[in-house]
Amino acid sequence: MNSLLATYANVIGEDIVDHLTQLSRPLRGMKVVHVNSTRQGGGVAEILNWLIPLQRELGMEAHWEVIQGQNEFYQCTKQFHNALQGNAAIINQVSLKEYEQTNCQFAEKHGALLQDADVVFIHDPQPAASIKYFPKRKGKWIWRCHVDASHPYRPVWRYLSKIVSDFDASIFSLADFSQMLPHPVYLIPPSIDPLSEKNVELSEDEIRNVCLQHNIDPKRPIMLQVSRFDRFKDPLGVIEAYRLATAFIPTLQLVLAGSGADDDPEGAVVLAEVQTAAREDADIHILLLPPDAHRTINALQRAADFVLQKSLKEGFGLTVAEAMWKAKPVIGGDTGGIRLQIIDHHTGFLVNSPEGAALRIRYLLHHRQHLLEMGAKAREFVRQNFLITRHLREYLTLMVGLVHQAEYSHG
Ligand code: UDP
């Protein structure tokens, strides 16, 4: 077995890697092109950074091209992004023209590759208009939408949906984020990388040291929520749940880990409220971490007895999968993608109030054996469903389906 896949096999088991190898057999030698708008920064680039090497190892000729433009192009695509997420965005004709022209130039530059590719993945709206310049394209073109497009701003969606309708299929991350389109629409949820700094195994010493550095007592029970300071993440509800639980478990410590909210005025207000609510309780630790503190977050998730993600509204909730992969039951808000991850009473608990959360906190800390069993189930559930290998498996399944469908209709 080749090296990257072998490394994954060591962590997640050979069965999953064998399955990928088998699934990719009909795709060997195929030319697969991914197009997005940046090589670094943001979730899409992160996905492509692991997806391209893995597709190559599985025998595909995988390419990654990046569309780049002038200022006006980015102004326009920023507005597309806002509009897809529901904000009223006004896009003037000059910007739209620049968008189309940049796509035209991109299509010219990569004409041979895109024309001949077996499968082309176009990520988000930035490169989407390039499809117009390939009326006789050979392969299947898929539009991969990474944002929440559940309530797009209609005038802009009318323009974008015309472009997107030309594709052979679309992919959205969650059913709630998707749109009706005149072609098959697939749902592929996000995933976590078990080999990233955020999720890799850590030594007991490292975990302990991170606790001590932040004045957390590793010998006493720890509950943790990792989140931006945002109302939808309900940090005040977490403090309330902690307070209700400490009446019964006085040794409990709460860690709220997030980043400083310098560039987010709303975040700064929420953080101030959280600091006020936590005042005078030395067992509430509010940690303001730099954006690259992945290993620290990893250690805190491992140090915790269980994890909370008490969101009132949530997209997917990566923090839930991260904690579950570390064999921690998660008490999560009964909303959005948290519902996909927490199987109530099995991999964690779904809750609708601070009182509900407090009840589950007490339950977990009084039933240690059950806590461990739920944690083990949570890890296995993530292994099967929310690692990048599942994400890759779904891309492969989709590609096999589309390519075979093409063979069938031609033959
Ligand atoms: N995260 C982080 N530092 C923080 C807060 C969050 O690195 O201070 C990470 C967290 O571990 C997760 C991601 O940011 O990987 C948050 O993703 P999620 O889907 O949970 O929530 P979002 O912030 O996208 O609403």
Side-chain angles (χ1 to χ4, degrees):
M1 198 186 291
N2 18 37
S3 57
L4 192 53
L5 285 167
T7 317
Y8 279 101
N10 285 337
V11 182
I12 60 169
E14 299 235 341
D15 54 338
I16 286 185
V17 172
D18 286 348
H19 186 194
L20 290 174
T21 312
Q22 196 181 9
L23 191 59
S24 60
R25 224 161 262 149
L27 300 169
R28 278 197 195 142
M30 284 202 181
K31 201 181 277 181
V32 181
V33 185
H34 291 267
V35 186
N36 80 324
S37 62
T38 174
R39 251 179 230 287
Q40 262 174 0
V44 184
E46 223 167 272
I47 291 169
L48 293 177
N49 262 311
W50 59 255
L51 184 59
I52 302 284
L54 282 172
Q55 285 190 326
R56 287 189 182 144
E57 279 212 10
L58 289 167
M60 280 153 263
E61 188 191 317
H63 297 257
W64 176 2
E65 301 300 342
V66 172
I67 187 166
Q68 284 171 319
Q70 304 300 316
N71 199 11
E72 198 73 42
F73 169 75
Y74 296 109
Q75 297 287 344
C76 178
T77 59
K78 175 89 192 142
Q79 295 298 351
F80 281 161
H81 188 90
N82 292 340
L84 278 177
Q85 302 205 97
N87 298 330
I90 309 299
I91 305 178
N92 63 41
Q93 287 304 318
V94 179
S95 288
L96 273 187
K97 204 151 179 250
E98 183 69 22
Y99 169 67
E100 290 179 5
Q101 209 142 28
T102 307
N103 270 271
C104 177
Q105 284 158 3
F106 177 80
E108 272 169 16
K109 185 167 169 206
H110 300 283
L113 179 68
L114 291 166
Q115 177 60 37
D116 277 353
D118 296 288
V119 184
V120 177
F121 287 91
I122 297 287
H123 295 265
D124 288 334
Q126 294 91 333
S130 55
I131 194 169
K132 283 207 272 199
Y133 306 98
F134 297 92
K136 298 211 168 92
R137 56 193 175 270
K138 172 184 156 199
K140 295 289 182 184
W141 283 49
I142 301 159
W143 185 57
R144 194 348 168 178
C145 178
H146 293 272
V147 298
D148 175 356
S150 49
H151 301 98
Y153 179 58
R154 286 286 150 190
V156 173
W157 178 242
R158 265 196 293 279
Y159 171 84
L160 279 177
S161 63
K162 262 196 215 111
I163 295 175
V164 168
S165 295
D166 276 349
F167 283 76
D168 298 290
S170 300
I171 306 173
F172 292 87
S173 295
L174 298 171
D176 284 350
F177 290 6
S178 68
Q179 279 294 322
M180 291 277 282
L181 286 162
H183 54 225
V185 171
Y186 295 88
L187 301 177
I188 303 191
S191 59
I192 59 164
D193 183 349
L195 298 182
S196 69
E197 290 275 284
K198 182 70 69 57
N199 297 307
V200 73
E201 292 287 331
L202 301 178
S203 70
E204 287 301 323
D205 272 355
E206 183 168 353
I207 298 168
R208 204 171 156 273
N209 285 338
V210 167
C211 287
L212 297 179
Q213 271 163 23
H214 294 96
N215 297 321
I216 301 164
D217 182 349
K219 294 205 190 79
R220 285 164 49 203
I222 301 170
M223 62 185 258
L224 165 75
Q225 175 158 302
V226 176
S227 282
R228 293 177 290 113
F229 290 96
D230 180 310
R231 284 196 201 291
F232 287 124
K233 308 284 184 183
D234 198 20
L236 292 173
V238 174
I239 294 180
E240 208 179 322
Y242 157 84
R243 288 245 155 84
L244 291 168
T246 46
F248 299 87
I249 307 146
T251 51
L252 184 60
Q253 305 167 91
L254 168 62
V255 181
L256 287 168
S259 39
D262 312 342
D263 57 349
D264 173 9
E266 171 73 11
V269 173
V270 176
L271 174 58
E273 288 174 9
V274 168
Q275 281 165 331
T276 306
R279 217 180 24 200
E280 287 163 21
D281 187 336
D283 285 331
I284 301 183
H285 302 268
I286 299 167
L287 308 186
L288 301 180
L289 302 171
D292 59 351
H294 303 306
R295 248 183 130 88
T296 306
I297 288 178
N298 184 346
L300 293 170
Q301 287 167 331
R302 289 179 190 280
D305 292 78
F306 59 90
V307 166
L308 262 91
Q309 190 53 60
K310 221 201 97 22
S311 307
L312 304 171
K313 201 168 168 220
E314 190 58 79
F316 177 69
L318 280 170
T319 50
V320 175
E322 288 163 8
M324 287 170 64
W325 176 241
K326 288 147 195 144
K328 306 298 167 175
V330 177
I331 300 175
D334 188 2
T335 181
I338 296 179
R339 289 194 187 130
L340 285 182
Q341 302 178 74
I342 297 181
I343 309 297
D344 204 11
H345 293 265
H346 291 278
T347 63
F349 291 108
L350 291 170
V351 295
N352 291 290
S353 64
E355 290 77 11
L359 194 72
R360 300 315 185 192
I361 294 169
R362 285 172 58 196
Y363 179 85
L364 287 174
L365 291 175
H366 286 141
H367 298 82
R368 283 283 174 176
Q369 187 53 32
H370 197 197
L371 183 155
L372 294 177
E373 285 162 15
M374 283 175 100
K377 274 194 208 165
R379 181 175 165 93
E380 179 57 19
F381 194 68
V382 170
R383 189 179 85 92
Q384 294 284 347
N385 296 290
F386 297 114
L387 296 183
I388 61 170
T389 35
R390 183 278 306 161
H391 206 152
L392 173 62
R393 183 183 75 214
E394 294 196 328
Y395 274 114
L396 298 177
T397 311
L398 170 55
M399 286 161 66
V400 171
L402 283 174
V403 169
H404 273 260
Q405 180 197 33
E407 280 170 6
Y408 183 71
S409 54
H410 290 151

